[in-house]
Amino acid sequence: MCGIVGYIGNQDAKEILLKGLDKLEYRGYDSAGIAVINGGQVHIFKEKGRIADLRAIVDTDLATNTGIGHTRWATHGVPSKLNAHPHQSTSGRFTLVHNGVIENYDLLKREYLQEVSFKSETDTEVIVQLIELFVNDGLSTDEAFRKTLKLLKGSYAIALLDTESGETIYVAKNKSPLLVGLGDGFNVVASDAMAMLQVTNQYVELMDKEIVIVTKDEVTIENLDGEVISRAPYTAELDASDIEKGTYPYYMLKEIDEQPLVLRRIIQTYQDHQGKLVIDDEIIDAVKAADRLYIIAAGTSYHAGLLGKQFIESMAKVPVEVHIASEFGYNMPLLSERPLFIFISQSGETADSRSVLVRVKEMGYKTLTITNVPGSTLSREADFTLLLHAGPEIAVASTKAYTAQMAVLAILGQVAAKKSGLDSDFDLVHELGIVANAMEVLCDSKEEFEKIAREYLLTTRNAFFIGRGIDYYVGQEGALKLKEISYIQAEGFAGGELKHGTIALIEEGTPIIALATQEHVNLSIRGNVKEVVARGANPCIISRKGLDMKEDRFVIPEVHELLTPLISVVPLQLLAYYAALQRGCDVDKPRNLAKSVTVE
Ligand code: F6R
């Protein structure tokens, strides 16, 4: 949610900021802006819409070496030019960009800023006005910044400019991600290392409630009490090609195609020299010590969790509960005596999951994060981390992270089973290798999915995905993919549940995508298909080799039955992709969404 960049050095700040924002657009894309300093004056350019719209209004002749920028996902106030960041104090001396939510902004307005006339509907403007208020009361800029931060409740990543010290960017963070990048004769600020990979791969991680004074030659990190903190930089191990689309029209298609490669990378990374699957002993000990695992996640990661439960329970024989993060905090079930909490999150930044993490840590429970982003908030704050190694996922719709999450959960299940002396009936390394090959076959069948999408989804208002057992969970993910990028109302249903109400929605031609990949429910799901066909539905059965029948529309290759979700989702991802494309939607940046959901 929202992306921040900053640059201070000798080069053209505008271009670096705009390029950086392009890379952060996945974090929010309803409006954007930059503020640059030229001759002691701040120039602000902001626009509703995408970075391309902003680029079109930036004065290209303006010489500037210092600036900050922002791409927004609206929380307080509609997407508009007025609410777009940067925001300025009344006198124009202070300008800032902010990612996060200030929960007590209204209270602060009433308590400190009654005289101020606000220009926007944002919570952010309160921050910049408070800084000016405290400077007018006689504090220096960093004292005023510090005092303001101490008053804020909520989450923030902030970059601040002061026209009276134009050679400095003031930075702070709490809960929202922010990094400082180091260069020779310049320094940068970014929500994500990807944004500034164009100029540096050396970054310093920032911790909550730290302030950073950034000049072109120096970066000084302090805590809120002004004590200086030293921290070594790290090298961002990102390949520039990982964050480019290359010849692909959309990141989503590239990321779908990367799935076999990611799976092979996971198999390799989690193997020792003898080819045995390994996971840190302390993680496996925590799983063994637990009497129940609680998987907490949101959206697609939650769907991966539903399948993780099947893998872990069938291999390691430990009971698993899967919960939606945003619900768990308000409706905590009766916990077992020795729970272990597993947080699944591609970004590692999802606020709903983090709030549960904070809560269960306070209760004294052990926590494990499964994430794609090393050093992310959920990774830093949990006791243990398992990485997905999927490479940056940029399309808003998650694809390769979902299959990577399932693979890592399967590996966790098997390693825990082996350590508990349970006999496993299959060689997971070998079976995952077969899965990777099958994924490739499916990725090579794009033309077929393009046709199926045109046939079933081009003009429909709604669609149903049905399945039984693990097919039902994959169907839920298929429905989420379809609705979020093509805006077709889609639901994933348990095949047997339709007749208990939802079948009333079936009309002549309603598309029903039915998954039939599980032997023990093959006949019953086909029975459910007959029920909807009798009511006029247009069925598209996707079955697995060995279970296929003549009416099936597509047959996926045979892999170990338990692992079929890793491949049966690929057709659904491709159907969603082509449906969105054919209906003229922006595949990578669907409306109202953002990649990293850092607000609760
Ligand atoms: C859907 C999607 C979202 C995320 C959800 C959780 O395609 O990407 O549903 O899965 O917002 O995000 P993470 O996994 O980053 O916690």
Side-chain angles (χ1 to χ4, degrees):
M1 310 257 119
C2 303
I4 287 181
V5 286
Y7 175 85
I8 183 158
N10 299 316
Q11 297 178 48
D12 176 13
K14 298 179 312 283
E15 192 49 32
I16 294 172
L17 295 174
L18 287 169
K19 278 193 186 146
L21 289 178
D22 270 333
K23 293 281 177 270
L24 290 184
E25 211 174 20
Y26 73 91
R27 298 182 65 86
Y29 35 84
D30 57 46
S31 52
I34 60 169
V36 288
I37 296 193
N38 165 281
Q41 271 210 322
V42 168
H43 299 260
I44 295 185
F45 303 93
K46 44 190 191 175
E47 195 52 283
K48 186 169 179 232
R50 303 287 170 89
I51 308 302
D53 302 307
L54 170 65
R55 188 179 272 281
I57 59 147
V58 169
D59 175 358
T60 43
D61 295 333
L62 190 71
T64 168
N65 311 117
T66 304
I68 55 179
H70 187 271
T71 179
R72 180 169 188 248
W73 186 86
T75 58
H76 296 65
V78 295
S80 66
K81 190 166 172 170
L82 215 60
N83 289 331
H85 299 216
H87 291 285
Q88 261 193 326
S89 61
T90 305
S91 74
R93 175 173 165 183
F94 298 100
T95 306
L96 68 69
V97 289
H98 163 229
N99 165 27
V101 171
I102 305 306
E103 289 157 12
N104 59 339
Y105 79 101
D106 212 24
L107 191 77
L108 292 170
K109 256 188 189 177
R110 278 184 273 122
E111 212 166 301
Y112 294 90
L113 302 165
Q114 290 211 0
E115 310 296 308
V116 172
S117 112
F118 283 84
K119 295 185 208 87
S120 76
E121 304 158 290
T122 64
D123 50 341
T124 301
E125 208 181 332
V126 166
I127 313 173
V128 75
Q129 296 290 11
L130 280 174
I131 295 168
E132 178 151 294
L133 176 81
F134 297 141
V135 165
N136 289 344
D137 283 351
L139 296 187
S140 66
T141 300
D142 51 339
E143 284 165 346
F145 192 29
R146 225 177 284 283
K147 180 165 175 180
T148 301
L149 296 175
K150 284 182 181 168
L151 293 175
L152 302 182
K153 287 205 168 51
S155 54
Y156 56 77
I158 295 170
L160 167 76
L161 294 177
D162 172 3
T163 48
E164 294 196 10
S165 52
E167 301 301 304
T168 308
I169 303 177
Y170 299 85
V171 168
K173 80 156 248 124
N174 185 44
K175 297 188 198 168
S176 301
L178 200 59
L179 302 167
V180 172
L182 309 180
D184 192 5
F186 70 90
N187 288 306
V188 297
V189 180
S191 301
D192 183 329
M194 252 194 267
M196 286 298 171
L197 212 56
Q198 44 163 329
V199 289
T200 183
N201 64 357
Q202 295 300 302
Y203 288 88
V204 182
E205 221 181 289
L206 306 183
M207 301 297 160
D208 285 353
K209 307 218 163 139
E210 289 181 342
I211 285 192
V212 195
I213 315 291
V214 184
T215 66
K216 76 184 180 51
D217 299 311
E218 235 176 312
V219 169
T220 312
I221 308 175
E222 297 172 5
N223 64 20
L224 283 191
D225 297 322
E227 289 156 348
V228 174
I229 295 160
S230 67
R231 185 167 303 130
Y234 70 92
T235 305
E237 304 287 353
L238 280 171
D239 190 330
S241 67
D242 281 350
I243 58 171
E244 300 298 339
K245 282 203 292 266
T247 55
Y248 283 91
Y250 287 97
Y251 280 106
M252 184 180 177
L253 194 63
K254 175 175 181 256
E255 290 161 6
I256 290 173
D257 266 355
E258 282 171 355
Q259 291 179 109
L261 181 137
V262 169
L263 184 54
R264 292 190 184 111
R265 193 188 297 148
I266 290 172
I267 305 170
Q268 228 173 23
T269 314
Y270 283 95
Q271 251 179 322
D272 67 9
H273 295 308
Q274 282 103 44
K276 207 170 82 185
L277 287 170
V278 282
I279 281 181
D280 280 355
D281 280 345
E282 46 174 12
I283 297 179
I284 298 301
D285 290 346
V287 172
K288 279 173 58 192
D291 61 354
R292 189 171 287 258
L293 309 182
Y294 291 80
I295 292 181
I296 311 292
T300 289
S301 297
Y302 167 75
H303 293 156
L306 294 172
L307 291 151
K309 170 183 162 77
Q310 313 302 312
F311 302 156
I312 295 171
E313 287 188 344
S314 67
M315 292 190 237
K317 313 290 178 211
V318 187
V320 181
E321 286 184 24
V322 191
H323 291 273
I324 293 175
S326 57
E327 281 296 303
F328 190 84
Y330 302 100
N331 195 14
M332 205 180 277
L334 194 60
L335 297 178
S336 66
E337 272 179 31
R338 300 185 313 280
L340 170 68
F341 283 86
I342 301 181
F343 295 86
I344 308 179
S345 173
Q346 187 284 130
S347 62
E349 300 294 344
T350 299
D352 290 327
S353 300
R354 183 182 186 257
S355 80
V356 179
L357 175 73
V358 171
R359 182 115 175 252
V360 299
K361 274 183 71 175
E362 279 165 8
M363 293 164 84
Y365 297 125
K366 287 269 182 243
T367 53
L368 160 67
T369 289
I370 299 181
T371 182
N372 200 25
V373 185
S376 56
T377 307
L378 284 167
S379 166
R380 280 204 314 268
E381 295 182 354
D383 297 293
F384 318 109
T385 295
L386 288 175
L387 291 176
L388 298 176
H389 302 286
E393 192 182 61
I394 294 165
V396 164
S398 181
T399 52
K400 62 176 177 173
Y402 172 74
T403 44
Q405 286 163 344
M406 286 195 278
V408 171
L409 286 160
I411 292 171
L412 178 64
Q414 178 147 91
V415 177
K418 288 250 161 82
K419 281 276 168 68
S420 302
L422 295 169
D423 263 347
S424 174
D425 65 343
F426 70 108
D427 173 354
L428 187 58
V429 170
H430 175 72
E431 297 296 345
L432 286 175
I434 297 176
V435 166
N437 295 343
M439 277 175 165
E440 234 154 49
V441 171
L442 292 168
C443 290
D444 289 344
S445 310
K446 289 192 188 70
E447 274 178 24
E448 192 55 23
F449 298 117
E450 193 175 0
K451 257 194 257 160
I452 299 176
R454 194 172 294 284
E455 201 179 310
Y456 287 85
L457 303 169
L458 185 61
T459 55
T460 189
R461 272 188 305 126
N462 56 5
F464 292 91
F465 290 74
I466 63 169
R468 284 180 173 242
I470 64 179
D471 285 341
Y472 162 43
Y473 302 130
V474 179
Q476 284 176 272
E477 174 58 10
L480 177 58
K481 283 293 87 83
L482 186 66
K483 66 184 135 190
E484 74 177 315
I485 61 168
S486 74
Y487 317 140
I488 296 171
Q489 184 168 10
E491 294 305 329
F493 255 87
E497 184 63 11
L498 276 175
K499 59 185 177 292
H500 296 290
T502 308
I503 203 163
L505 294 175
I506 304 297
E507 292 170 348
E508 198 57 41
T510 304
I512 297 275
I513 292 143
L515 290 174
T517 76
Q518 303 295 299
E519 191 167 8
H520 66 296
V521 288
N522 193 23
L523 294 181
S524 34
I525 191 65
R526 287 169 188 281
N528 299 139
V529 171
K530 288 207 168 71
E531 290 158 10
V532 289
V533 168
R535 272 112 192 140
N538 186 14
C540 170
I541 303 177
I542 299 177
S543 66
R544 169 169 71 77
K545 191 157 177 258
L547 301 180
D548 51 308
M549 297 189 182
K550 69 171 184 332
E551 65 268 26
D552 298 352
R553 188 64 177 80
F554 193 89
V555 181
I556 62 172
E558 187 164 8
V559 299
H560 191 289
E561 201 164 72
L562 190 61
L563 303 177
T564 47
L566 280 112
I567 65 160
S568 58
V569 74
V570 177
L572 309 190
Q573 294 167 340
L574 285 165
L575 286 181
Y577 173 81
Y578 285 114
L581 205 63
Q582 289 159 8
R583 292 166 74 109
C585 304
D586 184 341
V587 173
D588 283 342
K589 298 190 186 87
R591 69 185 179 206
N592 305 341
L593 289 169
K595 183 76 181 158
S596 182
V597 188
T598 52
V599 294
E600 279 180 48

